[in-house]
Amino acid sequence: MGKCMAKDGNTSALRRGAWSEEEDSRLRRCMEKYGAIKWCDVPSKAGLNRCRKSCRLRWLNYLSPSIKRGRFEDDEEDLIIRLHKLLGNRWSLIAGRLPGRTANDIKNHWNTHLSKKSTAKEKLWNPKIIAKGTAGIKPREKKGEFKIIKPQPWTIPVNWSWLKDQPGHQGHLQDKSGINVDPLPPSANNINVARKKSAAVIPEKLDDVFLDIDGMIVGEMQTSFEVGNIGGNGDGEFFLQEDAGWASFLLDMDF
DNA sequence: AACGATCGCAACCGCGGTGGG
DNA sequence: ACCCACCGCGGTTGCGATCGT
C-alpha cells in the first residue's frame, strides 16, 4: 500500500492500518481539548504517529460523537436509494441528509446492499432522457431503451411543453416561503439541467428559488421528476418514459 | 473440523478544489 | 498568475468475521 500521500509530504515512518484503543483515546482527547484545529496539527497535538489524513478519517468516520452506528433503518435505506437516484455517487451530499451517518458508511452500505436492491427496482422502470445533441436517437422510437445520460448538461427551453402545458401536471418555481413565482421569470431563457457538483453554478439572484413539480419541492440545487410526470419537449429533445421511478438532475438557471 | 467463498466495514489512495503567500 | 499545502471526496483495497460445503 502505499504511502499516506506523497503529495502531502513525507510518510515513511508513519503508522498505518487499524487503530488501537490507545490511539483512539489520544485522538479523542485531542479533539475534545482543541476542538476544530487544522488536521495537520492533530498528529503532533495528539501524540500520534499517524498522518493527518488518517486522523481525520478516523475521527470523521468512527470516533466523532455525532456518528450514529448500527443497522440502517428501512426509511434510511429508502432515502438513500432515492437520494442516490437524485445525486449519484455523491456520498457526502447524501450523508448530509442522513443525520449521524457518514459518507463512508453510506457508500459501504450502498455497495454491499443497496446497489443490488436498487438495480432490481430499476428493472421495473426505465427512465430515459435524451440530451440535446445525442445524435441519431429519436425518443419515441427508442421508447423503453433509454438510460439517464450523465453528466452532460442539458438545456431545456423555458417554453418546454411540459413546463407550460403538460396535461394534468404542473411545473413551477417557488421561493423559499413556498410562494409560487409562476410564470417562469421572463428573463430566463433556458433551464440548464445538469449533474453539477457545485452550488456556485446557480446565479445568486436565483439562490432562493426552488423548483416544484407536482407539489414536490425537492430543494434549491436539485430537482427530481417522477418519471411519468414528464412528457417530451416540443422538439422531441427530452423525454421520459411513463413508468414508476425517479429521474433526477441538478438545476441550474441560465439567464 | 477444515477450508474456501463471501460479506461488511475500516482504512488507504489519489485526485480535484480552495485559499494563502 | 502561479505555486503549494491543505482539505474533502469518491473509488478501491485489505482483512477479520461469517457462511456454506
Side-chain angles (χ1 to χ4, degrees):
Chain A
M1 334 234 265
K3 13 189 182 153
C4 209
M5 291 303 42
K7 194 176 175 180
D8 284 355
N10 190 350
T11 73
S12 39
L14 293 177
R15 195 176 136 77
R16 300 203 327 272
W19 281 63
S20 66
E21 277 186 32
E22 169 65 17
E23 287 176 310
D24 279 351
S25 64
R26 279 174 186 266
L27 179 56
R28 208 179 273 119
R29 279 199 302 272
C30 173
M31 297 307 289
E32 283 163 4
K33 183 172 177 186
Y34 298 104
I37 57 172
K38 284 189 165 188
W39 285 110
C40 55
D41 294 334
V42 169
S44 57
K45 288 197 186 304
L48 289 164
N49 187 28
R50 293 265 184 180
C51 72
R52 57 182 178 78
K53 292 186 77 164
S54 182
C55 294
R56 175 182 169 273
L57 206 66
R58 184 62 177 172
W59 177 257
L60 293 179
N61 287 339
Y62 197 83
L63 295 176
S64 168
S66 64
I67 291 173
K68 176 180 173 184
R69 310 203 70 80
R71 71 173 289 275
F72 282 75
E73 305 296 332
D74 290 346
D75 58 338
E76 285 179 309
E77 291 191 341
D78 187 55
L79 185 56
I80 292 168
I81 290 171
R82 284 168 176 261
L83 288 171
H84 186 267
K85 284 203 190 303
L86 200 61
L87 302 167
N89 291 358
R90 279 172 291 182
W91 306 114
S92 60
L93 278 180
I94 295 174
R97 307 244 173 165
L98 284 118
R101 298 296 188 183
T102 69
N104 207 39
D105 271 349
I106 292 171
K107 179 173 60 181
N108 284 334
H109 193 64
W110 174 268
N111 288 334
T112 52
H113 297 97
L114 300 183
S115 60
K116 298 162 201 159
K117 246 190 200 181
S118 174
T119 310
K121 267 190 186 173
E122 208 148 322
K123 288 185 177 166
L124 300 174
W125 65 289
N126 206 348
K128 60 189 192 302
I129 295 156
I130 302 305
K132 197 172 191 171
T134 302
I137 299 177
K138 298 197 174 157
R140 287 166 183 79
E141 290 173 7
K142 294 281 181 183
K143 193 163 185 174
E145 300 173 17
F146 297 107
K147 289 178 180 168
I148 292 177
I149 297 167
K150 57 185 179 180
Q152 299 286 340
W154 305 310
T155 298
I156 302 174
V158 287
N159 62 358
W160 188 28
S161 64
W162 168 75
L163 283 173
K164 57 176 190 180
D165 58 14
Q166 184 68 12
H169 298 295
Q170 283 193 321
H172 50 257
L173 294 168
Q174 293 188 336
D175 65 17
K176 279 182 176 167
S177 62
I179 296 171
N180 289 343
V181 291
D182 274 340
L184 288 169
S187 56
N189 297 318
N190 297 290
I191 299 173
N192 290 332
V193 177
R195 301 180 73 92
K196 291 192 176 179
K197 202 166 181 176
S198 167
V201 299
I202 298 181
E204 275 184 24
K205 57 188 165 183
L206 280 176
D207 208 22
D208 59 350
V209 171
F210 285 66
L211 187 71
D212 168 61
I213 293 161
D214 284 354
M216 179 180 61
I217 301 171
V218 285
E220 58 193 323
M221 268 203 60
Q222 66 212 25
T223 183
S224 61
F225 303 97
E226 220 156 353
V227 180
N229 284 358
I230 294 181
N233 68 355
D235 310 317
E237 287 166 354
F238 289 82
F239 213 76
L240 284 174
Q241 188 174 21
E242 293 194 1
D243 208 333
W246 298 75
S248 56
F249 322 91
L250 296 182
L251 185 70
D252 171 23
M253 301 291 284
D254 177 20
F255 281 76

mmCIF file of all heavy atoms in Angstrom, chain A residues 132-149:
data_model
loop_
_atom_site.group_PDB
_atom_site.id
_atom_site.type_symbol
_atom_site.label_atom_id
_atom_site.label_comp_id
_atom_site.label_asym_id
_atom_site.label_seq_id
_atom_site.Cartn_x
_atom_site.Cartn_y
_atom_site.Cartn_z
ATOM 1 N N LYS A 132 -29.962 16.955 -25.616
ATOM 2 C CA LYS A 132 -29.791 17.707 -26.848
ATOM 3 C C LYS A 132 -28.481 17.293 -27.489
ATOM 4 O O LYS A 132 -27.459 17.221 -26.852
ATOM 5 C CB LYS A 132 -29.733 19.199 -26.493
ATOM 6 C CG LYS A 132 -29.969 20.106 -27.650
ATOM 7 C CD LYS A 132 -30.077 21.518 -27.111
ATOM 8 C CE LYS A 132 -30.591 22.424 -28.198
ATOM 9 N NZ LYS A 132 -30.919 23.743 -27.669
ATOM 10 N N GLY A 133 -28.508 17.033 -28.744
ATOM 11 C CA GLY A 133 -27.275 16.708 -29.427
ATOM 12 C C GLY A 133 -26.934 15.221 -29.401
ATOM 13 O O GLY A 133 -25.949 14.812 -29.954
ATOM 14 N N THR A 134 -27.746 14.427 -28.740
ATOM 15 C CA THR A 134 -27.498 12.999 -28.764
ATOM 16 C C THR A 134 -27.837 12.499 -30.160
ATOM 17 O O THR A 134 -28.985 12.390 -30.531
ATOM 18 C CB THR A 134 -28.346 12.288 -27.723
ATOM 19 O OG1 THR A 134 -28.030 12.838 -26.466
ATOM 20 C CG2 THR A 134 -28.049 10.816 -27.704
ATOM 21 N N ALA A 135 -26.811 12.240 -30.909
ATOM 22 C CA ALA A 135 -27.011 12.038 -32.336
ATOM 23 C C ALA A 135 -27.837 10.800 -32.644
ATOM 24 O O ALA A 135 -27.643 9.740 -32.078
ATOM 25 C CB ALA A 135 -25.655 11.939 -33.013
ATOM 26 N N GLY A 136 -28.737 11.001 -33.515
ATOM 27 C CA GLY A 136 -29.401 9.871 -34.131
ATOM 28 C C GLY A 136 -30.413 9.128 -33.290
ATOM 29 O O GLY A 136 -30.960 8.128 -33.727
ATOM 30 N N ILE A 137 -30.675 9.604 -32.082
ATOM 31 C CA ILE A 137 -31.627 8.870 -31.268
ATOM 32 C C ILE A 137 -32.963 9.587 -31.278
ATOM 33 O O ILE A 137 -33.053 10.759 -30.962
ATOM 34 C CB ILE A 137 -31.133 8.723 -29.826
ATOM 35 C CG1 ILE A 137 -29.828 7.965 -29.822
ATOM 36 C CG2 ILE A 137 -32.151 8.011 -28.977
ATOM 37 C CD1 ILE A 137 -29.206 7.822 -28.456
ATOM 38 N N LYS A 138 -33.976 8.904 -31.624
ATOM 39 C CA LYS A 138 -35.288 9.501 -31.600
ATOM 40 C C LYS A 138 -36.076 8.926 -30.446
ATOM 41 O O LYS A 138 -36.368 7.741 -30.429
ATOM 42 C CB LYS A 138 -35.996 9.228 -32.930
ATOM 43 C CG LYS A 138 -35.218 9.856 -34.078
ATOM 44 C CD LYS A 138 -36.056 9.969 -35.303
ATOM 45 C CE LYS A 138 -35.284 10.729 -36.367
ATOM 46 N NZ LYS A 138 -35.753 10.449 -37.720
ATOM 47 N N PRO A 139 -36.411 9.782 -29.504
ATOM 48 C CA PRO A 139 -37.005 9.348 -28.262
ATOM 49 C C PRO A 139 -38.147 8.367 -28.438
ATOM 50 O O PRO A 139 -38.142 7.307 -27.850
ATOM 51 C CB PRO A 139 -37.498 10.637 -27.642
ATOM 52 C CG PRO A 139 -36.633 11.686 -28.211
ATOM 53 C CD PRO A 139 -36.252 11.223 -29.564
ATOM 54 N N ARG A 140 -39.063 8.722 -29.214
ATOM 55 C CA ARG A 140 -40.248 7.872 -29.279
ATOM 56 C C ARG A 140 -39.917 6.524 -29.906
ATOM 57 O O ARG A 140 -40.490 5.508 -29.555
ATOM 58 C CB ARG A 140 -41.341 8.599 -30.042
ATOM 59 C CG ARG A 140 -41.937 9.728 -29.218
ATOM 60 C CD ARG A 140 -42.782 10.663 -30.054
ATOM 61 N NE ARG A 140 -43.283 11.785 -29.248
ATOM 62 C CZ ARG A 140 -42.569 12.835 -28.925
ATOM 63 N NH1 ARG A 140 -41.338 12.933 -29.321
ATOM 64 N NH2 ARG A 140 -43.069 13.788 -28.178
ATOM 65 N N GLU A 141 -38.986 6.578 -30.818
ATOM 66 C CA GLU A 141 -38.613 5.318 -31.461
ATOM 67 C C GLU A 141 -37.867 4.409 -30.498
ATOM 68 O O GLU A 141 -37.893 3.189 -30.623
ATOM 69 C CB GLU A 141 -37.708 5.594 -32.662
ATOM 70 C CG GLU A 141 -38.453 6.255 -33.794
ATOM 71 C CD GLU A 141 -37.503 6.667 -34.909
ATOM 72 O OE1 GLU A 141 -36.316 6.306 -34.819
ATOM 73 O OE2 GLU A 141 -37.953 7.336 -35.815
ATOM 74 N N LYS A 142 -37.176 5.049 -29.573
ATOM 75 C CA LYS A 142 -36.359 4.265 -28.659
ATOM 76 C C LYS A 142 -37.077 3.964 -27.361
ATOM 77 O O LYS A 142 -36.458 3.509 -26.410
ATOM 78 C CB LYS A 142 -35.069 5.025 -28.339
ATOM 79 C CG LYS A 142 -34.159 5.210 -29.509
ATOM 80 C CD LYS A 142 -33.396 3.948 -29.748
ATOM 81 C CE LYS A 142 -32.438 4.126 -30.926
ATOM 82 N NZ LYS A 142 -31.740 2.881 -31.229
ATOM 83 N N LYS A 143 -38.324 4.266 -27.336
ATOM 84 C CA LYS A 143 -39.059 4.105 -26.089
ATOM 85 C C LYS A 143 -38.765 2.752 -25.459
ATOM 86 O O LYS A 143 -38.821 1.728 -26.102
ATOM 87 C CB LYS A 143 -40.562 4.240 -26.350
ATOM 88 C CG LYS A 143 -41.349 4.402 -25.089
ATOM 89 C CD LYS A 143 -42.736 4.929 -25.396
ATOM 90 C CE LYS A 143 -43.438 5.189 -24.090
ATOM 91 N NZ LYS A 143 -44.730 5.823 -24.270
ATOM 92 N N GLY A 144 -38.452 2.812 -24.181
ATOM 93 C CA GLY A 144 -38.184 1.563 -23.490
ATOM 94 C C GLY A 144 -36.720 1.172 -23.487
ATOM 95 O O GLY A 144 -36.327 0.210 -22.856
ATOM 96 N N GLU A 145 -35.899 1.926 -24.175
ATOM 97 C CA GLU A 145 -34.486 1.538 -24.207
ATOM 98 C C GLU A 145 -33.575 2.619 -23.673
ATOM 99 O O GLU A 145 -32.364 2.569 -23.840
ATOM 100 C CB GLU A 145 -34.076 1.253 -25.653
ATOM 101 C CG GLU A 145 -34.870 0.140 -26.272
ATOM 102 C CD GLU A 145 -34.534 0.014 -27.751
ATOM 103 O OE1 GLU A 145 -33.496 0.547 -28.166
ATOM 104 O OE2 GLU A 145 -35.320 -0.598 -28.461
ATOM 105 N N PHE A 146 -34.154 3.603 -23.009
ATOM 106 C CA PHE A 146 -33.345 4.746 -22.638
ATOM 107 C C PHE A 146 -32.689 4.607 -21.283
ATOM 108 O O PHE A 146 -33.172 3.918 -20.419
ATOM 109 C CB PHE A 146 -34.194 6.008 -22.639
ATOM 110 C CG PHE A 146 -34.711 6.316 -23.998
ATOM 111 C CD1 PHE A 146 -36.036 6.122 -24.297
ATOM 112 C CD2 PHE A 146 -33.853 6.749 -24.975
ATOM 113 C CE1 PHE A 146 -36.511 6.392 -25.555
ATOM 114 C CE2 PHE A 146 -34.320 7.015 -26.227
ATOM 115 C CZ PHE A 146 -35.658 6.846 -26.532
ATOM 116 N N LYS A 147 -31.616 5.317 -21.160
ATOM 117 C CA LYS A 147 -30.931 5.416 -19.878
ATOM 118 C C LYS A 147 -30.709 6.883 -19.582
ATOM 119 O O LYS A 147 -30.657 7.699 -20.496
ATOM 120 C CB LYS A 147 -29.575 4.710 -19.946
ATOM 121 C CG LYS A 147 -29.706 3.216 -20.021
ATOM 122 C CD LYS A 147 -28.347 2.605 -20.125
ATOM 123 C CE LYS A 147 -28.487 1.081 -20.195
ATOM 124 N NZ LYS A 147 -27.268 0.416 -20.568
ATOM 125 N N ILE A 148 -30.503 7.167 -18.299
ATOM 126 C CA ILE A 148 -30.125 8.537 -17.978
ATOM 127 C C ILE A 148 -28.744 8.797 -18.537
ATOM 128 O O ILE A 148 -27.835 8.007 -18.362
ATOM 129 C CB ILE A 148 -30.106 8.764 -16.453
ATOM 130 C CG1 ILE A 148 -31.527 8.684 -15.930
ATOM 131 C CG2 ILE A 148 -29.469 10.090 -16.103
ATOM 132 C CD1 ILE A 148 -31.618 8.813 -14.441
ATOM 133 N N ILE A 149 -28.638 9.887 -19.210
ATOM 134 C CA ILE A 149 -27.334 10.260 -19.744
ATOM 135 C C ILE A 149 -26.683 11.216 -18.768
ATOM 136 O O ILE A 149 -27.276 12.213 -18.391
ATOM 137 C CB ILE A 149 -27.493 10.934 -21.105
ATOM 138 C CG1 ILE A 149 -28.101 9.936 -22.077
ATOM 139 C CG2 ILE A 149 -26.168 11.468 -21.607
ATOM 140 C CD1 ILE A 149 -28.603 10.557 -23.354
#
